[in-house]
Amino acid sequence: MGQITLQGVQKSFGPVHIIKGADLDIADGSFVVFVGPSGCGKTTLLRLIAGLEDVSGGKILIDGKNVVDTPPAKRGLSMVFQSYALYPHMSVRGNIGFGLKMAGLAKDEINRKVEAAAATLNLSPYLDRKPRELSGGQRQRVAIGRAIVREPKAFLFDEPLSNLDAALRVQMRIEVTRLQKQLGTTAIYVTHDQVEAMTMADKIVVLNGGKIEQYGSPLELYERPANLFVAGFIGSPKMNFVTGELALQKGAATIGVRPEHLKIERDGGGGWQGTIAVAEHLGSDTFLYVDAGPLGMLTARYIGELSLHAGDRVSLVPDPQRIHRFDDGGNALRG
Amino acid sequence: MARMATRQRVVISTIGAWLFGFLIFFPILWMVLASFKTELEAFAIPPSFLFFHWTLENYATVQERSDYFHHAMNSIIIAGGSTLIALLIAIPAAWSMAFSPTKRTKDILLWMLSTKMMPPVGVLVPIYLIFKTFGLLDSRIGLVFILCLGNLPIVIWMLFTYFKEIPRDILEAARMDGATIGRELVYVLTPMAIPGLASTLLLNLILAWNEAFWTLNLSTSNAAPLTTFIASYSSPEGLFWAKLSAASTLAIAPILVLGWFSQKQLVRGLTFGAVK
Ligand SMILES: Nc1ncnc2c1ncn2[C@@H]1O[C@H](COP(=O)(O)OP(=O)(O)OP(=O)(O)O)[C@@H](O)[C@H]1O
Ligand SMILES: [Mg+2]
């Protein structure tokens, strides 16, 4: 069981208010990702849940029990750090087994569990090496092994893959997701990589400036962003925003259209007119950065190759079903 | 050409380093040589370097006149005891300052160091009176106590700088792994800090071994360590160079041997954790 609830959780460092009241309900067995720009408080929120920082206000419930006064060792959570934080003086076996040793398990039981975890993570040949004799990816696996072997109520990950190269990151991303599903253990995962967020999460928490902007499934966030911040943060390339006359016509202060929801037509169509400033041809996709005069720069995405080039005139037609409307305060208007 | 130049530089700097090393080592060498001379030869002018009558007579006299092993035992107990107790106090102190610093941590560290800036003679009288009142004069316990307190600031400072270098994440990982603070200290922090602990221990052992102000002033015979033993040979009735040298050689021998075998740790200790 690993059901985690935050109720009005706040955190200040001295006079600086970092987490401004977070409410969150994390279902048992779900994979929740915290995303947000740098410095928005993702790590802080995770550390509050872990117990590595004390809350300044509010409650954290794990399986219904308020744990704000429980030390990290007693919360039954395990954490994977960005820096791996392996014990340098212990072998891989010692690292993975340390939590079990602290829990007072018998030696042969520890060995059995450590070997099972190592097998799952392809670490068996390295059990007797020291962390400094491992590659970055292997160290990461050890850190994950250390987390899973204890069968915790939940895993906490703080940007665990950000020190790996791109290819390994994709591979580990899949492995972590697979492992979490297989174990069925609740996971909270911090990242600022939105591809990681979209692909791994059952639910995403978008944080900004210490506030939760939206909490929902990846597709909910993509299709129905609650406000301008989420609309701009989720999706790549970024959503296009248009203000002024055009927005007012739709009864909104701002309207937003994702690049993939702009139909690209040669000049003369009925859409928004502009000149291509930059065209990026990736083969699988074509990205156009269009100078649309009073509307500003717009980004359009075409799936597949489109032979248009810088300087060409185009007209962009927004899909009427996919226009997002926002009020003065930046909140989404529905209906 | 360039290679020649670098070769020359290597040769010159090697010779320079040896000369400099020899210069520093010379007093100790001279002392050891003098300890094997007769009293007459010891202050003969011009001095003879190697061609004198080598004799062990001084060592025999020294052991006869004052019990070397008694003093050596006292030195071991006082230096060792004060170092161990200082470490026991300093490890948790440095740990808490390194890993849960408060606004005052810096001030406390500076204040502790400032106690080392005060000349000990400034507090000799009060300390002497305290020792007298509590019957600690000429007792090993008293000396262990005063040397321990005297070196504590340096021990805490050294350990603090070592602990500071240990990534916080690793200790937090241990906490997440279910380690209590005590077990975190025993299983994670201390093993990681062993090189630092070892050099702190050695350096402090040497400092305590050679400490002469308090040991000379607060002990006479029972608890007198080797420093008192040496001092008894620089008597006002006339100097006995050869015997003084023999006594000194005996006094520094144990710590010299220890230092020789732990050079690597010592260098690390003296650079205060700057060398990884
Ligand atoms: N111990 C601390 N004392 C004071 N301020 C802190 C402390 N820890 C974090 N902060 C501040 O809290 C804010 C949030 O930090 P946090 O590390 O949670 O950000 P983050 O969302 O994880 O960012 P990143 O993506 O860069 O890791 C930052 O402005 C940071 O400066
Ligand atoms: Mg962070």
Side-chain angles (χ1 to χ4, degrees):
Chain A
M1 275 296 281
Q3 199 262 333
I4 300 174
T5 307
L6 309 189
Q7 293 175 352
V9 170
Q10 302 196 22
K11 177 66 184 174
S12 310
F13 289 109
V16 202
H17 212 173
I18 302 292
I19 303 291
K20 298 160 186 158
D23 294 286
L24 204 59
D25 234 314
I26 297 172
D28 182 35
S30 62
F31 197 114
V32 171
V33 173
F34 291 177
V35 279
S38 188
C40 68
K42 305 180 292 289
T43 298
T44 308
L45 196 55
L46 195 74
R47 290 171 57 85
L48 287 170
I49 297 171
L52 296 171
E53 304 280 356
D54 294 326
V55 297
S56 314
K59 284 187 187 171
I60 297 172
L61 310 177
I62 299 178
D63 291 335
K65 190 173 150 273
N66 188 3
V67 294
V68 292
D69 295 320
T70 310
K74 299 261 163 64
R75 293 194 185 186
L77 308 175
S78 59
M79 184 150 169
V80 177
F81 293 81
Q82 181 174 0
S83 60
Y84 314 143
L86 301 179
Y87 311 120
H89 55 292
M90 295 182 201
S91 63
V92 169
R93 185 187 295 278
N95 267 279
I96 298 178
F98 186 70
L100 300 175
K101 184 169 158 191
M102 292 298 105
L105 264 65
K107 237 195 181 111
D108 44 334
E109 197 176 355
I110 296 181
N111 273 333
R112 197 171 47 72
K113 291 194 172 193
V114 167
E115 274 153 27
T120 324
L121 291 160
N122 298 325
L123 281 172
S124 302
Y126 311 110
L127 274 173
D128 295 311
R129 290 210 197 163
K130 290 279 169 62
R132 63 169 177 279
E133 299 160 343
L134 299 176
S135 73
Q138 290 162 345
R139 285 180 206 179
Q140 185 59 74
R141 279 169 214 273
V142 176
I144 293 172
R146 192 168 63 177
I148 63 171
V149 78
R150 287 176 48 224
E151 299 168 21
K153 291 180 183 157
F155 301 127
L156 309 177
F157 296 94
D158 190 2
E159 308 207 22
L161 308 184
S162 58
N163 288 341
L164 303 179
D165 67 50
L168 199 53
R169 195 149 62 208
V170 173
Q171 186 197 332
M172 286 300 288
R173 185 173 92 203
I174 295 165
E175 270 182 54
V176 169
T177 317
R178 187 181 51 82
L179 202 61
Q180 190 268 345
K181 290 283 168 283
Q182 184 187 321
L183 298 169
T185 309
T186 314
I188 305 180
Y189 188 105
V190 167
T191 180
H192 52 234
D193 179 340
Q194 59 150 305
V195 179
E196 267 177 32
M198 296 297 281
T199 52
M200 299 175 93
D202 294 322
K203 280 190 154 191
I204 295 180
V205 176
V206 181
L207 281 165
N208 183 31
K211 284 213 316 267
I212 295 179
E213 297 280 354
Q214 192 172 359
Y215 179 41
S217 73
L219 284 181
E220 257 168 60
L221 264 54
Y222 178 83
E223 283 165 359
R224 290 186 298 283
N227 51 42
L228 275 177
F229 180 81
V230 177
F233 194 78
I234 299 290
S236 172
K238 221 168 122 24
M239 187 186 279
N240 297 296
F241 294 115
V242 174
T243 52
E245 192 59 29
L246 263 172
L248 285 176
Q249 280 173 17
K250 308 253 177 217
T254 308
I255 55 171
V257 186
R258 297 199 182 274
E260 51 272 39
H261 301 144
L262 283 173
K263 207 159 115 228
I264 303 162
E265 292 183 347
R266 310 229 171 218
D267 196 18
W272 301 336
Q273 313 289 324
T275 310
I276 297 174
V278 177
E280 290 176 347
H281 301 273
L282 304 183
S284 60
D285 299 86
T286 309
F287 295 116
L288 302 180
Y289 301 93
V290 178
D291 182 356
L295 300 180
M297 289 296 289
L298 297 175
T299 312
R301 176 180 181 194
Y302 180 82
I303 313 254
E305 170 57 16
L306 189 64
S307 70
L308 284 172
H309 301 282
D312 291 351
R313 299 274 307 164
V314 286
S315 97
L316 304 172
V317 186
D319 177 346
Q321 303 298 312
R322 304 274 203 164
I323 296 179
H324 302 267
R325 302 182 307 131
F326 303 94
D327 66 14
D328 287 340
N331 291 315
L333 293 163
R334 301 261 179 252
Chain B
M1 265 313 281
R3 271 193 66 172
M4 287 270 292
T6 47
R7 232 191 106 81
Q8 266 178 11
R9 278 174 56 177
V10 167
V11 169
I12 290 171
S13 53
T14 308
I15 293 173
W18 274 99
L19 277 177
F20 192 67
F22 184 72
L23 206 66
I24 289 178
F25 178 64
F26 188 75
I28 292 181
L29 177 68
W30 195 245
M31 177 185 80
V32 174
L33 287 176
S35 72
F36 291 106
K37 296 176 181 175
T38 62
E39 287 297 347
L40 265 178
E41 277 168 326
F43 62 91
I45 292 185
S48 60
F49 219 101
L50 291 172
F51 305 103
F52 53 82
H53 294 103
W54 290 74
T55 170
L56 286 171
E57 185 187 322
N58 300 309
Y59 288 93
T61 327
V62 164
Q63 175 57 20
E64 215 171 282
R65 241 183 72 184
S66 41
D67 186 357
Y68 170 74
F69 292 101
H70 167 71
H71 296 293
M73 205 49 180
N74 279 339
S75 272
I76 291 172
I77 290 171
I78 293 166
S82 68
T83 302
L84 286 182
I85 295 174
L87 276 178
L88 283 182
I89 301 173
I91 290 175
W95 176 79
S96 72
M97 285 194 284
F99 297 111
S100 2
T102 66
K103 272 182 287 182
R104 300 263 167 269
T105 299
K106 275 242 157 66
D107 302 340
I108 293 175
L109 278 168
L110 267 181
W111 168 75
M112 283 194 321
L113 203 65
S114 73
T115 60
K116 285 306 276 183
M117 296 169 191
M118 178 186 58
V121 71
V123 290
L124 178 58
V125 174
I127 295 271
Y128 189 88
L129 291 178
I130 291 171
F131 266 58
K132 201 173 159 201
T133 314
F134 289 97
L136 290 172
L137 284 175
D138 203 18
S139 74
R140 289 168 182 168
I141 294 183
L143 287 178
V144 166
F145 182 70
I146 193 91
L147 291 195
C148 167
L149 290 184
N151 286 332
L152 200 51
I154 293 187
V155 180
I156 294 180
W157 259 86
M158 283 186 71
L159 290 182
F160 174 77
T161 47
Y162 284 120
F163 288 176
K164 262 271 183 265
E165 284 183 9
I166 294 177
R168 232 190 132 99
D169 279 4
I170 294 180
L171 300 184
E172 291 181 340
R175 239 166 279 171
M176 293 302 296
D177 263 345
T180 54
I181 285 188
R183 290 170 140 207
E184 181 185 321
L185 266 175
V186 172
Y187 289 108
V188 182
L189 185 71
T190 309
M192 283 177 71
I194 273 186
L197 283 171
S199 43
T200 309
L201 182 129
L202 280 167
L203 202 66
N204 194 61
L205 210 56
I206 293 173
L207 284 178
W209 188 274
N210 290 330
E211 203 288 330
F213 181 78
W214 294 112
T215 48
L216 287 182
N217 280 300
L218 298 176
S219 72
T220 47
S221 60
N222 269 339
L226 289 168
T227 45
T228 321
F229 162 79
I230 303 175
S232 68
Y233 286 88
S234 65
S235 54
E237 306 94 73
L239 287 174
F240 295 97
W241 284 116
K243 290 188 191 64
L244 181 62
S245 296
S248 304
T249 305
L250 282 173
I252 65 165
I255 206 80
L256 204 65
V257 171
L258 185 72
W260 181 264
F261 284 109
S262 51
Q263 282 180 59
K264 243 166 85 182
Q265 300 293 351
L266 272 177
V267 170
R268 288 192 45 144
L270 291 168
T271 50
F272 259 59
V275 182
K276 280 256 170 174

